[in-house]
Amino acid sequence: MALVSSTQMLRTAREQGYCVGAFNVHTMEMLQAVVEAACEANAPLILQTTVGTVRHLGPEYVAAIARVASDEARVPIALHLDHCHEEELIMRCIEAGYTSVMIDASMHPFAENAEMTRRVVELAREHGVNVEAELGKVGGVEDDLVVDDADAALADPIECERFIELTGVDTLAPAIGTAHGIYKGEPRIDFARIEEIARRVSVPLVLHGGSGIPEEQVKRAVQLGMAKMNVATELRIAFSQAIKGVFDNNPQENDPRTYMKQAKQAVKEVALAKMEMCGCVGKASVR
């Protein structure tokens, strides 16, 4: 089936108490791996690319590959641009065929964040594209996005409510104690804050920094209103370690089809585990 907007996909997930896995991919093999996992799990899927990956591959190439994968799949798939600060690049991705975009203006004061988000929402609506925004600042490192622990800030529930009213944004990623990258210790998620934000806003909430969060914490966050979980670092690690393992066993290996096959399988296994954790297995046909 054709690529779809993630708007209804995520609304249904929130209403029915599960979460859709959103996976950052950087190569065709990574994209194929998570699509195969979604088909095997009969799960809805959000493919994501960072700004760095878009600049590396080009949004037109990414969208074309995603369209082919989606056309051959039997599950709904959305294509999302993650953490973008530039309206011009967002529009280029929309024109290329992305069905979801994130305008991340969280580094700006509330009013400026809201105004930038409102403009993107207005433009995206013309194309039926989902828009995600962030309030507070999620810490850690992802791609070229670096937020020190000292600069990370949790989202204010009252501001979240006001932000939705001002922008009309489709999905919201509030900072609630998670971080991008792999955690040094157990994440300190503010579950009371998630619950209060979910009580005040009806839009689906997004859990950033999904790599390495313990299963019981993911499930609790989903029960409280998180409808999308982003996974990036664990996929990259699995992909890279699998390739390293091939060369450790055979330093003379020179056929990319050999080591990419191993890397693809490793990513697929991580994606399947995350889908199970999110509770979206078997939910592809849910409306």
Side-chain angles (χ1 to χ4, degrees):
M1 61 179 71
L3 289 168
V4 301
S5 167
S6 58
T7 301
Q8 188 56 51
M9 182 191 295
L10 295 175
R11 286 176 181 168
T12 302
R14 174 160 181 181
E15 289 167 3
Q16 301 202 9
Y18 62 91
C19 181
V20 178
F23 300 93
N24 279 36
V25 296
H26 306 283
T27 70
M28 182 177 70
E29 290 80 9
M30 293 180 79
L31 185 150
Q32 290 173 321
V34 294
V35 170
E36 288 179 14
C39 289
E40 188 171 310
N42 191 32
L45 172 67
I46 299 175
L47 296 168
Q48 297 192 157
T49 55
T50 63
V51 169
T53 298
V54 167
R55 295 197 192 286
H56 177 64
L57 297 176
E60 294 80 12
Y61 275 92
V62 175
I65 296 168
R67 276 195 297 271
V68 171
S70 185
D71 286 344
E72 295 181 355
R74 61 182 184 277
V75 299
I77 299 175
L79 178 60
H80 177 74
L81 172 65
D82 201 21
H83 283 291
C84 187
H85 313 311
E86 304 168 30
E87 294 175 52
E88 184 178 344
L89 183 57
I90 285 173
M91 283 309 303
R92 184 180 168 195
C93 286
I94 289 174
E95 289 166 358
Y98 277 64
T99 59
S100 179
V101 294
M102 179 183 185
I103 172 63
D104 182 1
S106 60
M107 72 293 299
H108 299 298
F110 178 87
E112 190 172 346
N113 185 354
E115 176 55 24
M116 287 183 68
T117 301
R118 186 198 62 75
R119 288 199 304 268
V120 171
V121 168
E122 191 174 286
L123 291 168
R125 284 268 159 81
E126 298 175 9
H127 301 268
V129 169
N130 177 280
V131 179
E132 177 183 327
E134 182 172 311
L135 269 186
K137 293 180 182 178
V138 177
V141 179
E142 183 176 52
D143 205 40
D144 58 354
L145 175 71
V146 180
V147 178
D148 293 335
D149 290 345
D151 294 326
L154 301 185
D156 182 295
I158 296 174
E159 285 193 345
C160 288
E161 184 176 21
R162 180 62 176 151
F163 189 81
I164 300 298
E165 292 172 354
L166 290 171
T167 64
V169 74
D170 302 293
T171 50
L172 181 67
I176 43 80
T178 56
H180 298 120
I182 294 296
Y183 297 93
K184 298 182 178 69
E186 189 165 297
R188 292 177 291 181
I189 298 176
D190 191 335
F191 293 104
R193 190 174 298 267
I194 298 175
E195 186 171 21
E196 177 64 12
I197 293 170
R199 187 183 68 81
R200 289 179 174 274
V201 308
S202 60
V203 302
L205 302 178
V206 181
L207 185 66
H208 279 235
S211 290
I213 300 177
E215 182 172 358
E216 63 275 12
Q217 292 194 22
V218 169
K219 289 184 174 179
R220 187 177 175 192
V222 172
Q223 289 172 351
L224 293 173
M226 290 292 175
K228 172 179 182 257
M229 183 174 79
N230 291 6
V231 180
T233 306
E234 280 185 88
L235 297 183
R236 290 204 313 271
I237 290 174
F239 187 84
S240 301
Q241 292 294 349
I243 292 175
K244 290 174 184 176
V246 171
F247 286 110
D248 285 343
N249 293 325
N250 182 9
Q252 304 307 313
E253 180 59 64
N254 62 12
D255 189 342
R257 292 168 296 183
T258 298
Y259 51 80
M260 284 297 186
K261 181 179 180 180
Q262 299 300 318
K264 182 178 168 183
Q265 181 60 30
V267 169
K268 181 179 176 180
E269 289 172 6
V270 172
L272 281 168
K274 294 297 181 182
M275 290 171 187
E276 186 72 39
M277 192 182 296
C278 286
C280 62
V281 173
K283 303 294 187 181
S285 57
V286 174
R287 295 288 184 268

